[in-house]
Amino acid sequence: GVANRVTAINVSPFLKYKGLELQGGYDMIKGSVFADVANGKWNKRDWNQAYGELVYRFLKNEQLYIGARYVTATGEPSGL
């Protein structure tokens, strides 16, 4: 639903301390579709996504790990 006139931003930091890893991110995209015009203006759409992942690696050479992930996204469907 945002094939044209796209602006996208991604921030994705990664931190590691010994066996503990933390990765997260935020994605933002704004855009429109050239064919989707109302009253002479393009209908713009916004999408946002935030995510985080926590992993703990253990045993010799970090052979095993346990982790958790969280993801959320919001946006406007294109209706196509």
Side-chain angles (χ1 to χ4, degrees):
V2 288
N4 307 107
R5 302 177 57 97
V6 175
T7 301
I9 296 174
N10 172 273
V11 178
S12 183
F14 175 80
L15 301 171
K16 182 172 181 174
Y17 179 74
K18 298 186 180 181
L20 187 64
E21 298 177 0
L22 176 63
Q23 179 180 5
Y26 181 75
D27 301 324
M28 178 184 68
I29 184 171
K30 294 182 180 190
S32 61
V33 176
F34 286 143
D36 192 2
V37 178
N39 300 323
K41 294 183 181 180
W42 280 299
N43 289 330
K44 296 180 181 177
R45 295 183 181 91
D46 298 332
W47 284 90
N48 297 298
Q49 175 178 300
Y51 54 93
E53 185 174 89
L54 183 67
V55 175
Y56 180 69
R57 298 179 186 275
F58 52 97
L59 292 184
K60 186 177 180 180
N61 300 320
E62 300 180 342
Q63 295 168 319
L64 290 176
Y65 66 90
I66 187 168
R69 179 182 294 167
Y70 176 77
V71 178
T72 183
T74 59
E76 303 165 21
S78 65
L80 297 175

